[in-house]
């Protein structure tokens, strides 16, 4: 069994888009995190829901824009690889998203990062319903 808290089933993470959830960091500050599909094992990755350039939210509650294996920042168009978090274009070029550790086991995604505690599905101000948009650019 994975050593962490179940966040979602893999089937809840859209093929193109994101699944949004809220976690608390070590200082109990609420932080939004997105799950996105990745072609590399374990098939899903987790990233903070903010661009490294100006902390713009990727997923505003209706799913992050994902195109050709990259998360697109809605403000300036920087694109981050869904598997590595690296950005090689736009204002965020040369940066990468901070890693959020997860495990996928038996079709479920578990938050295993010691820096975060799972709070609920959805964004900070949501009523606990996760975003599962299948819309992409």
């Amino acid at each position: 069994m994975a050593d962490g808290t179940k966040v979602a089933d893999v089937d809840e993470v859209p093929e193109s888009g994101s699944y949004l959830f809220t976690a608390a960091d070590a200082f109990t500050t609420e932080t939004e995190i997105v799950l996105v599909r990745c072609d590399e094992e374990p098939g899903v990755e987790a990233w903070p829901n903010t661009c490294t350039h100006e902390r713009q939210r990727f997923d505003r509650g209706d799913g992050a824009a994902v195109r050709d294996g990259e998360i697109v920042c809605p403000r300036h168009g920087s694109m981050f690889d869904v598997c590595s978090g690296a950005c090689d274009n736009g204002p965020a070029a040369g940066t990468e998203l901070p890693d959020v550790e997860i495990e996928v086991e038996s079709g479920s995604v578990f938050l295993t990062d010691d820096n975060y505690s799972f709070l609920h599905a959805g964004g900070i101000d949501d009523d606990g319903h996760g975003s599962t948009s299948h819309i992409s650019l």
Side-chain angles (χ1 to χ4, degrees), residues 51-102:
C51 178
T52 57
H53 175 233
E54 289 185 354
R55 299 197 45 81
Q56 176 68 38
R57 293 169 69 210
F58 297 124
D59 184 333
R60 299 177 190 173
D62 56 356
V66 176
R67 180 176 60 210
D68 298 326
E70 296 182 306
I71 304 169
V72 182
C73 176
R75 184 156 192 182
H76 293 113
S78 292
M79 298 170 70
F80 297 82
D81 183 274
V82 293
C83 297
S84 71
C87 178
D88 63 3
N89 62 67
T95 67
E96 61 183 55
L97 299 171
D99 188 43
V100 176
E101 295 177 21
I102 60 167

Side-chain angles (χ1 to χ4, degrees), residues 7-71:
V7 174
D9 290 326
V10 171
D11 291 344
E12 294 177 89
V13 182
E15 291 292 332
S16 183
S18 62
Y19 180 91
L20 178 65
F21 71 94
T22 301
D25 67 15
F27 303 102
T28 66
T29 303
E30 292 186 354
T31 303
E32 291 182 347
I33 298 172
V34 292
L35 298 175
V36 292
R37 293 289 183 123
C38 171
D39 288 337
E40 299 171 11
E41 288 297 323
V44 176
E45 286 294 335
W47 306 109
N49 188 32
T50 52
C51 178
T52 57
H53 175 233
E54 289 185 354
R55 299 197 45 81
Q56 176 68 38
R57 293 169 69 210
F58 297 124
D59 184 333
R60 299 177 190 173
D62 56 356
V66 176
R67 180 176 60 210
D68 298 326
E70 296 182 306
I71 304 169

